[in-house]
């Protein structure tokens, strides 16, 4: 029994005895009435545990309900922040870090969806929704827990030789859609492949459908022996004796070729090869006839070696030698003329002198005949 004293007047006091069972029944009835009044109120999250990439956007799909006849006056999203060891709900509009990044996509009917853009690491956490009507204010009992993650690209091994197997691995802290790979911005067909020379480059991964958000790149270094070994001749065509020429050996290799060997064979016997030099450039400073023949170079690095195709050098007599021969002939002619000219002059002088003597004798004979 419960005794209740009521002072109705100064001189009168009434005592009511209420049965405990009746009191409890009354309280329960009031509680059930309150619950019944809000039985249609709820907040539902489509995905309570979303996971999104850093730098991307995420959308919290959300819906809410209330009893008929109510009018929604205000909606708000909150972020759970731990302050002094206690999780407190702080409205996003009061957090400067969410300014211009949070976007309410819902309405004041039944949609409470929210988008957060340019996600950062500290966006990870719990999110809550609340709406207020003319009668009640209702906040979600449950929450959305957002995980912000980053992609980590891994190439194993990072340094291989051509022909070795390479495995690409894209690490992520939560389950997302399948990942895709890029090499220097170009799609990669398979995450496991046999490495070739052209596979060297920077690799990054992304979530399918969000290719714009890629991981930091990681480098794959494919090493291979010299390829496409070739010889460049500084003066192509016919060479003349006494001229100079450089033969340069080049190739594509990783690491770069660090050893070059030169070989020469005669045209008549190409099977007989003789080593004639080393180094990337073979210099012939004064070409001789013996330098004519077939040349090839061998390029080598620590992975292997390869030979170039043969290059033919032909050597011809120079114009200077021809001019030198002509000059010698001219000098010889001049010497001969210089030696014969005095003799010719003497011979001509004698011949003229003899002719004068003969004429004088003839004139004397004529005078003698006239005198007679």
């Amino acid at each position: 029994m419960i005794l209740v004293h009521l002072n109705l007047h100064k001189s009168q006091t009434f005592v009511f005895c209420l049965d405990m069972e009746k009191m409890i029944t009354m309280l329960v009835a009031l509680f059930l009435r309150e619950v019944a009044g809000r039985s249609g109120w709820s907040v539902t999250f489509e995905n309570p545990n979303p996971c999104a990439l850093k730098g991307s956007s995420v959308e919290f799909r959300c819906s809410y309900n209330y009893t008929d006849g109510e009018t929604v006056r205000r909606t708000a999203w909150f972020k759970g922040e731990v302050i002094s060891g206690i999780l407190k709900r702080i409205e996003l509009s009061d957090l400067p870090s969410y300014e211009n990044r949070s976007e309410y996509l819902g309405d004041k009917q039944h949609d409470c969806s929210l988008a957060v853009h340019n996600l950062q690491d500290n966006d990870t956490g719990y999110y809550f929704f609340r709406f207020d009507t003319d009668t009640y204010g209702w906040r979600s009992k449950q929450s959305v827990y957002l995980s912000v993650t980053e992609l980590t690209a891994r190439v194993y091994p990072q340094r291989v030789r051509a022909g070795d197997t390479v495995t690409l691995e894209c690490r992520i802290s939560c389950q997302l859609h399948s990942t895709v790979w890029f090499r220097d911005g170009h799609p990669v067909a398979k995450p496991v492949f046999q490495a070739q020379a052209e596979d060297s480059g920077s690799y990054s991964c992304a979530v399918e459908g969000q290719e714009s958000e890629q991981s930091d790149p990681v480098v794959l270094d494919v090493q291979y022996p010299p390829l496409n070994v070739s010889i460049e001749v500084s003066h192509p065509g016919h060479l003349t004796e006494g001229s100079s020429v450089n033969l340069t050996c080049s190739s594509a290799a990783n690491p770069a070729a660090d050893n070059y060997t030169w070989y020469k064979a005669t045209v008549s016997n190409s099977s007989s090869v003789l080593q004639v030099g080393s180094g990337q450039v073979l210099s012939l400073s004064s070409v001789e006839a013996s330098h004519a023949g077939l040349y090839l170079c061998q390029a080598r690095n620590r992975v292997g070696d390869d030979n170039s195709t043969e290059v033919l050098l032909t050597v011809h007599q120079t114009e200077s030698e021809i001019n030198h021969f002509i000059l010698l002939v001219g000098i010889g002619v001049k010497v001969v003329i210089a030696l014969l000219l005095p003799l010719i002059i003497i011979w001509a002088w004698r011949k003229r002198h003899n002719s004068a003597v003969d004429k004088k004798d003839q004139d004397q004979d004529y005078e003698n005949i006239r005198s007679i």
Side-chain angles (χ1 to χ4, degrees), residues 42-62:
S42 65
V43 175
T44 304
F45 302 118
E46 183 177 312
N47 180 13
N49 296 291
C51 180
L53 294 174
K54 181 179 179 180
S56 68
S57 298
V58 67
E59 185 175 328
F60 303 152
R61 292 287 185 179
C62 171

Side-chain angles (χ1 to χ4, degrees), residues 19-35:
D19 186 87
M20 176 65 74
E21 185 177 352
K22 292 181 179 180
M23 176 68 74
I24 293 175
T25 302
M26 183 185 300
L27 293 175
V28 170
L30 291 173
F31 175 76
L32 292 177
R33 181 181 177 183
E34 180 73 12
V35 171

Side-chain angles (χ1 to χ4, degrees), residues 240-285:
T240 56
E241 290 186 340
S243 63
S244 63
V245 66
N246 289 333
L247 305 182
T248 303
C249 188
S250 60
S251 67
N254 184 29
D258 54 7
N259 185 281
Y260 298 88
T261 306
W262 291 90
Y263 298 92
K264 174 181 173 294
T266 60
V267 178
S268 59
N269 186 11
S270 59
S271 61
S272 178
V273 179
L274 178 66
Q275 181 177 340
V276 293
S278 61
Q280 189 172 6
V281 179
L282 177 65
S283 295
L284 303 178
S285 58

Side-chain angles (χ1 to χ4, degrees), residues 278-333:
S278 61
Q280 189 172 6
V281 179
L282 177 65
S283 295
L284 303 178
S285 58
S286 181
V287 174
E288 300 175 359
S290 60
H291 288 145
L294 297 170
Y295 288 80
L296 66 85
C297 74
Q298 182 187 74
R300 177 188 295 274
N301 63 8
R302 64 171 176 264
V303 182
D305 59 64
D306 193 19
N307 296 333
S308 70
T309 55
E310 296 174 335
V311 171
L312 175 63
L313 291 186
T314 56
V315 181
H316 293 272
Q317 191 177 28
T318 63
E319 291 185 6
S320 59
E321 291 180 333
I322 296 174
N323 293 335
H324 182 64
F325 174 76
I326 295 174
L327 178 61
L328 291 178
V329 172
I331 293 174
V333 171

